[in-house]
Amino acid sequence: MVTRTAQERRTEEKRAYDAYLAACPARKLLDEVSGKWVSLVLVALGDGPQRYSDLSRRIAGVSQKMLTQTLRTLERDGLLTRTVTACVPVRVDYELTELGRSLRELLAGIKDWAETRFDEVESARDRYDARSAARTIGSDGAG
């Protein structure tokens, strides 16, 4: 009988994931972590522990429902911890875990890329839209 180590089992299990397959659990995880609120919350928490109200103020446009839902999902996935301090009023802090910090690094890079390259993307969009409009009008006008 061949006995496999825990590391060998994890490696084998890791190879079993293929996010291109519809039934793959990694696909659901990709879907969760690619949401805009997840990205913004994780990057914001890179500055250290924060309270709900701090996150709510910092992330413009997020509703109370979406922020609460996002924080619960991130806590469930092991990406952040929620610490309740018994005082009046009760204090609740959110902080990244090691797993959350590893994802935050990637998402911060994407956020920085979006902020620094947006003008180029906007120019590309304008060129595309101009070509698309010319094609629509150009052939027979029927689009």
Side-chain angles (χ1 to χ4, degrees), residues 34-47:
S34 64
K36 68 179 172 183
W37 302 126
V38 168
S39 301
L40 294 173
V41 167
L42 288 177
V43 174
L45 286 173
D47 296 337

Side-chain angles (χ1 to χ4, degrees), residues 18-29:
D18 183 351
Y20 291 113
L21 300 175
C24 181
R27 181 182 276 196
K28 183 169 178 8
L29 181 59

Side-chain angles (χ1 to χ4, degrees), residues 4-118:
R4 295 179 304 170
T5 66
Q7 179 63 39
E8 289 170 331
R9 284 192 303 276
R10 280 193 299 276
T11 301
E12 187 176 309
E13 290 169 1
K14 188 176 184 179
R15 278 189 239 127
Y17 295 119
D18 183 351
Y20 291 113
L21 300 175
C24 181
R27 181 182 276 196
K28 183 169 178 8
L29 181 59
L30 279 173
D31 186 43
E32 286 177 9
V33 300
S34 64
K36 68 179 172 183
W37 302 126
V38 168
S39 301
L40 294 173
V41 167
L42 288 177
V43 174
L45 286 173
D47 296 337
Q50 293 185 46
R51 297 173 75 174
Y52 182 95
S53 58
D54 298 328
L55 291 167
S56 181
R57 273 192 302 277
R58 184 157 185 200
I59 304 171
V62 66
S63 68
Q64 181 178 351
K65 177 185 174 185
M66 283 309 303
L67 182 55
T68 299
Q69 190 175 355
T70 300
L71 290 168
R72 285 180 182 161
T73 299
L74 292 172
E75 182 181 12
R76 181 174 184 257
D77 289 345
L79 299 172
L80 63 79
T81 58
R82 178 179 183 268
T83 305
V84 179
T85 305
C87 59
V88 178
V90 173
R91 181 182 174 101
V92 179
D93 289 293
Y94 297 91
E95 183 175 12
L96 294 177
T97 62
E98 183 59 39
L99 186 62
R101 284 190 289 278
S102 69
L103 179 57
R104 185 226 175 254
E105 290 177 30
L106 298 169
L107 295 176
I110 293 170
K111 175 190 162 287
D112 292 345
W113 179 88
E115 291 171 344
T116 59
R117 305 304 288 261
F118 182 76

